[in-house]
Amino acid sequence: MQDRTHRLTSTRWRVCILSFRMLLVLGFINLILAQQTLCEMYTSVVNVQQAIAVEKELLKYLKSYIEDETLRLNDLKRFYGKVSNLHTNVFQGAGTAMANPLFAYTLIKRLQSEWLNVVYSNEANENTQAFKSGYEKEESRLPKFEDLQGAAKGLMRLQDVYALSVKGLVNGLFQRDTTGGAVDIYRAENSITLSADDCFLIGKTGNVSYALSLSREILHLDPSNKRVTRNIEKYEKILAASPASSDVLIQRPNTTYLETRNTYEWLCQTLGSQPRHYENPRLHCDFHTNGNPALVLKPMRREIVSLQPYVVLYHSFISDHEARTIKEFSAPGLQRSVVASGVKQSTAEYRISKSAWLKDTAHPVVQKLDQRIAALTGLNVHPPYAEYLQVVNYGIGGHYEPHFDHATSESSPLYKLNTGNRVATFMVYLNSVEAGGSTAFISANFSVPVVKNAALFWWNLLRNGKGNGDTLHAGCPVLVGDKWVANKWVHEYGQEFQRRCSPNPDD
């Protein structure tokens, strides 16, 4: 028995590892049978949290179904017990029993009527139909196939970026394999293990032809797995119907992505700025007023994180109440975040989140935030010289791969505002996360962890108006937690006297 258990456990690991390899080795594809949906629950944790209420409703329907079915089965048990008792204690001498017309009548009645009711009863169908009707009421709020794919890709992204141990993930642990053994990255208070089927569902969202070969290997290890057998048949049909398009890979950003990938992953894994940055005396903390009377009595706690690019972290910039208000008011308007694509904007796999825009008239808290940003930076943050406040909620493994906030192409939709490029970014962390989610500055080689209620500020453009290449940055995947940020982007026009040009054309 012990050997058999060991073999089953070993098989389970191999199944999980094989399933993960489907994505790790050859990347992702869009399955031909995938359905398109506007829901995209996986792109925002707040939407995933809303799904909990849906499952609670389904539990109510399931409970009613179980109760109804229990009553039906109890009736069947009573009928079985009654008839079985007759055959055991009465019908031993069948001729004697049948001499009694009452026994004869009840026997005929049972065989002609009661057994028919047992075999052809509609009660089971009625109970099932009632349960099905309840399910259909909630169906529009259920995750779609795209959400399952997106969640699986999110897990794979976390495994990839943070170099997580597959074995650890299967056991519900966030660990990284090292020469000294597995090291915990984050220890969850509540953990959940993944079954071989969970791993397989993650793996089969990848390359179809490779999934087919690995599925055959899994079937060799577990010949009784009917799900794998069915998937093999499906993969063979997909490949037969469209052999040329079945191995299309989801496109990443341009070559910049490939050049910065290692640095990006390393900065996400280090979970904070590198120690050498704090050895520079010019990188310090102070109480900052920016010469503004509004901040004299309550100066802002400023931490200068970097000089090139100039990046500042303002601690306790926003209160818990203000952060909660912004999240509550923006939640109903959250939609899938987009990226610039030529003159248009579109969704992309390298940005997984949902966002909403809040005008300063949406709530007094937004107005106060704008006034505070203006006081700290000295910039004109009123539209059209600045954009409305963008509130972002990240999804499962939510991230934004290396990018610039400022436009790098003259055809960018940013220029539709006719107020120039984005000169500065002011990003507010509306809450904390348990692990991951750092803001990594790729070219400058440092990262800033999520600090609850703090705000990060940097200049996107040099004083000569050119884009600052050192501001290439990324939002690292959220390993555990619900990350919310609020972005305020300030444009060039309107800042002529707030941020003057330098006499040096190279500045």
Side-chain angles (χ1 to χ4, degrees), residues 457-486:
F457 171 80
W458 68 87
W459 297 105
N460 294 306
L461 305 182
L462 301 173
R463 288 187 179 272
N464 60 17
K466 294 181 180 179
N468 186 346
D470 287 334
T471 63
L472 181 70
H473 65 285
C476 294
V478 181
L479 186 61
V480 181
D482 182 15
K483 181 182 176 182
W484 289 79
V485 300

Side-chain angles (χ1 to χ4, degrees), residues 246-258:
S246 58
D247 289 336
V248 176
L249 297 178
I250 289 178
Q251 295 299 312
R252 300 283 189 177
N254 57 28
T255 54
T256 304
Y257 166 82
L258 298 175

Side-chain angles (χ1 to χ4, degrees), residues 1 21 36 42 110 158 257 261 269 275 374 384 469-470 501:
M1 177 62 73
R21 280 172 56 201
Q36 296 299 318
Y42 72 97
R110 280 198 308 276
L158 294 175
Y257 166 82
R261 184 67 184 182
Q269 293 170 16
D470 287 334
C501 296

Side-chain angles (χ1 to χ4, degrees), residues 340-401:
S341 178
V343 296
K344 299 181 180 180
Q345 293 182 318
S346 60
T347 62
E349 286 296 317
Y350 55 88
R351 187 183 189 187
I352 300 297
S353 62
K354 282 190 175 181
S355 56
W357 298 87
L358 292 181
K359 295 182 178 181
D360 55 356
T361 55
H363 194 278
V365 166
V366 182
Q367 270 185 329
K368 290 181 180 178
L369 239 61
D370 280 354
Q371 293 169 0
R372 205 172 301 155
I373 293 171
L376 271 176
T377 64
L379 298 174
N380 184 348
V381 300
H382 297 292
Y385 305 114
E387 299 172 40
Y388 296 126
L389 190 70
Q390 185 198 54
V391 184
V392 184
N393 180 228
Y394 289 82
I396 300 173
H399 71 141
Y400 194 174
E401 289 185 353

